[in-house]
Every structure is written in C-alpha cells, then in structure tokens.
Amino acid sequence: MNRNETFGIYNTTEHISLLKYSKTACGVDFLLNTAESWEKRGWFDTDKRYKTDTFEFFFFRKAEGYLFLGGKRIDLHPNMVLITSPFQLQEWYVDVDKLEYTFLIFQEEFVNNFLSDKYFMYRLLYCYQHDYPTWFDMPEEATCPLLDLLQKMKQELRKPVADSYHMIVAYLYQFLLLLNRIYASRFHLPFALPLNNYAYQYKQLLEKNICDKARVADYAEMMGISRVSLNKAVMREFGLSAVHLLKQRLLQEVKNDLLFSNLSVKEIAFRLHFSEPNHLMRFFKQMTGQTISEFLAEMNRED
C-alpha cells in the first residue's frame, strides 16, 4: 500500500495537495493507524508538496535525506523522532529504501470523539509548536515505552473486539502524555497545571486566523478578555509572550509561502496584510537574522 492509497488526494493549488486520511483504504476501522515502514512501504510522498489532515509521529531507526516542514529544512538521521501537526506543508527528499521507522498517524477527531477537552491537542507542547523543533534525538530507554504502547495499539487494530476503540484511546492518551513529559524535559519548557484555557484557545485561534489577524488585541477581543490577561495566561503556560507566539506563527506562514508557492514577496506581503513589501522583509530579517534571499539559498543548498 502506498501513501496515495492511504490518503485521498485533493489538489489545493497547482503545487500543493491535501492528503486526507482514509481508514477504509488503510484497512482499519479507526481514524488511527500505526505500523512499521516495511509494512506500509512508500509512506512518504516524494513526488509533490503536500499536507495531511492528521497528526503524524515517526520513530526513525535508519534515516537519511531531508524534508521541508513548517518552513524549515530537517536533515534526517537515525534515532530521531519527528512529529507533524495537521496541515503543515511537507516536501520530502528521501530514498524510501534507506529508511526504517515506526509511525503513528491519527485524526484529531479520533481523540475528540472520546475526550470532552476540545483543547487537549493544543495542550501538548509538541503540537502546533513554532518555537522549538518537533524533531529531536531520543535515547532507546525513552523510546521503548512509547513503542510498546504503539505495539499494543497495533494489536487492537489488527484484531479488533468490542472494546478495542476504548483500549486504543487509552493507549494513545498515555502515549501522548508520556511523550509530552519527555518533550517538556528535553526543551526545559513550563509544565504546570493550567489555571484556565486562554493560552490554548489563543493557540487554536492563531492556527485558524493568522492570515487575517496580526494583532494580539484582535485575539483578546475574540476571546472576550483583556490583552493583559491573555498575555499572562500565555506566559504561564508557554513561558513566552502572546506577541512572540503570534510573530512566530506569522513567520512560519511567510516561510511556507516562500518555500511552497510561486508568490512574489509583494504578493505574500499583500496576502498577510503587511502594509508594504519592505515591512515584510524587515520583519523577516528581525525574526531570523537572515534576508529572504539568504534563507532561500540555505534551504535550497545542495548536499
């Protein structure tokens, strides 16, 4: 089975396809699947730029090549973990014969159907993350418990019984929380009980409105709270200001357009409501320390 059989393909532009997960084509009864690379050969789509509607987790044992994800170039290597969130633009440059990995994919709906917490995935520090990498090395002793949970999910998927859905959700819940602890420790991130949902609601709204709303005050108004209250909530949960989170998400949108579209700088500035192209270029230099030309040259370097 190749990736195009697992996902339905929807052309969103001339250059980017949206791959929607199909449980029927994948041979399981759930909006979730886990397997080894040799069981699902050709998992990566190496022919086009695309995005999926799923969360994806990869535990690489053997890896080489690279990919573009979230406006960044990621060089693959053994013993690394890679996490992607829905609708992140991807472009892979790999030889599938030189990859060996375990993967997990699922739609957010799979979790939401069971949990009443609509912000659960936004609470996980590695989901919709724009400040810290969602790829990192993981020692074997940390990886083993996670892979064991994936193996248990796989057994339920292959031979489902009456309570398999609940068992899979229980394993998935444990997997996501355990990985969140590992991620928080790995990058020294705040890890405290939330006082409210404001920070997670803000993160969700950024994902949905960044192309149209470029001021923290706009989001505070949408949430019905003051900008000060919003900033306090974001600082407590993420250790970052609300402005910083907004700028990082806007920067990713700029990088996506630069890497995955034929839009000119002027057209990108217009799409993202910069008053003029020079303001976009100045913003990019302030955020990255690079000019747009330098960034593109680095992304397109030959190995």
Side-chain angles (χ1 to χ4, degrees):
M1 177 184 295
N2 63 39
R3 188 179 182 98
N4 291 350
E5 291 170 338
T6 305
F7 289 86
I9 302 176
Y10 300 78
N11 289 323
T12 55
T13 71
E14 183 181 353
H15 302 284
I16 301 171
S17 296
L18 171 61
L19 308 185
K20 293 187 175 181
Y21 180 72
S22 168
K23 61 182 180 181
T24 302
C26 205
V28 295
D29 297 324
F30 308 98
L31 295 172
L32 173 148
N33 201 7
T34 181
E36 303 298 324
S37 51
W38 57 267
E39 295 176 291
K40 303 285 184 189
R41 197 181 186 290
W43 181 256
F44 304 111
D45 192 324
T46 57
D47 297 327
K48 61 171 65 70
R49 298 164 178 174
Y50 67 91
K51 52 189 176 180
T52 75
D53 64 349
T54 57
F55 291 96
E56 304 181 18
F57 300 75
F58 301 96
F59 294 81
F60 290 101
R61 293 179 293 278
K62 297 180 181 178
E64 58 182 81
Y66 64 94
L67 74 149
F68 293 126
L69 176 72
K72 299 180 176 68
R73 173 177 166 143
I74 304 169
D75 293 306
L76 300 174
H77 58 271
N79 301 318
M80 71 178 288
V81 177
L82 172 68
I83 305 165
T84 74
S85 295
F87 306 109
Q88 282 190 292
L89 299 176
Q90 306 180 33
E91 187 171 6
W92 293 77
Y93 293 86
V94 296
D95 181 345
V96 293
D97 292 325
K98 296 180 179 179
L99 299 177
E100 183 180 309
Y101 56 90
T102 302
F103 72 85
L104 166 70
I105 63 169
F106 64 91
Q107 283 191 330
E108 187 171 356
E109 180 184 346
F110 182 83
V111 175
N112 290 344
N113 285 343
F114 187 79
L115 299 176
S116 59
D117 182 0
K118 64 180 179 180
Y119 299 118
F120 175 73
M121 296 306 298
Y122 291 90
R123 297 182 195 280
L124 300 174
L125 296 167
Y126 48 77
C127 291
Y128 304 106
Q129 174 63 253
H130 307 300
D131 273 280
Y132 297 91
T134 56
W135 59 96
F136 50 95
D137 295 339
M138 185 180 291
E140 184 177 355
E141 60 268 23
T143 305
C144 285
L146 294 167
L147 295 180
D148 182 58
L149 287 166
L150 294 185
Q151 183 62 30
K152 290 177 179 177
M153 289 184 218
K154 182 178 176 181
Q155 292 170 358
E156 296 292 336
L157 287 167
R158 300 302 177 260
K159 296 181 179 180
V161 293
D163 62 354
S164 286
Y165 172 76
H166 294 83
M167 290 296 292
I168 292 170
V169 170
Y171 292 139
L172 176 63
Y173 192 59
Q174 186 177 352
F175 172 91
L176 296 173
L177 292 177
L178 178 57
L179 183 56
N180 198 48
R181 287 186 177 184
I182 294 170
Y183 189 84
S185 176
R186 173 70 173 76
F187 294 105
H188 309 289
L189 297 176
F191 198 64
L193 290 173
L195 296 177
N196 53 57
N197 288 323
Y198 293 152
Y200 309 112
Q201 184 180 359
Y202 178 60
K203 206 172 182 182
Q204 182 186 62
L205 289 172
L206 282 176
E207 293 299 320
K208 295 180 177 180
N209 299 282
I210 192 61
C211 295
D212 300 311
K213 305 288 186 182
R215 299 185 311 142
V216 173
D218 294 331
Y219 293 92
E221 182 178 355
M222 292 168 68
M223 296 165 62
I225 61 175
S226 71
R227 176 173 172 165
V228 172
S229 296
L230 174 56
N231 193 61
K232 284 182 178 179
V234 172
M235 282 293 297
R236 184 180 188 278
E237 302 307 324
F238 305 127
L240 302 164
S241 70
V243 169
H244 180 86
L245 239 59
L246 186 150
K247 286 184 175 180
Q248 285 288 8
R249 183 60 185 86
L250 181 59
L251 176 64
Q252 181 184 325
E253 200 69 21
V254 174
K255 287 182 175 181
N256 284 341
D257 279 351
L258 291 171
L259 291 174
F260 297 106
S261 79
N262 287 329
L263 296 176
S264 66
V265 172
K266 181 178 180 180
E267 289 169 328
I268 295 172
F270 177 78
R271 188 179 86 83
L272 298 177
H273 303 285
F274 285 88
S275 57
E276 57 182 82
N278 283 341
H279 291 171
L280 168 58
M281 291 187 284
R282 186 162 56 249
F283 167 78
F284 192 91
K285 182 69 179 291
Q286 289 173 344
M287 294 294 293
T288 67
Q290 294 178 304
T291 65
I292 289 175
S293 297
E294 289 169 342
F295 165 74
L296 291 174
E298 179 182 341
M299 292 297 103
N300 294 319
R301 73 179 189 270
E302 295 292 336
D303 289 325

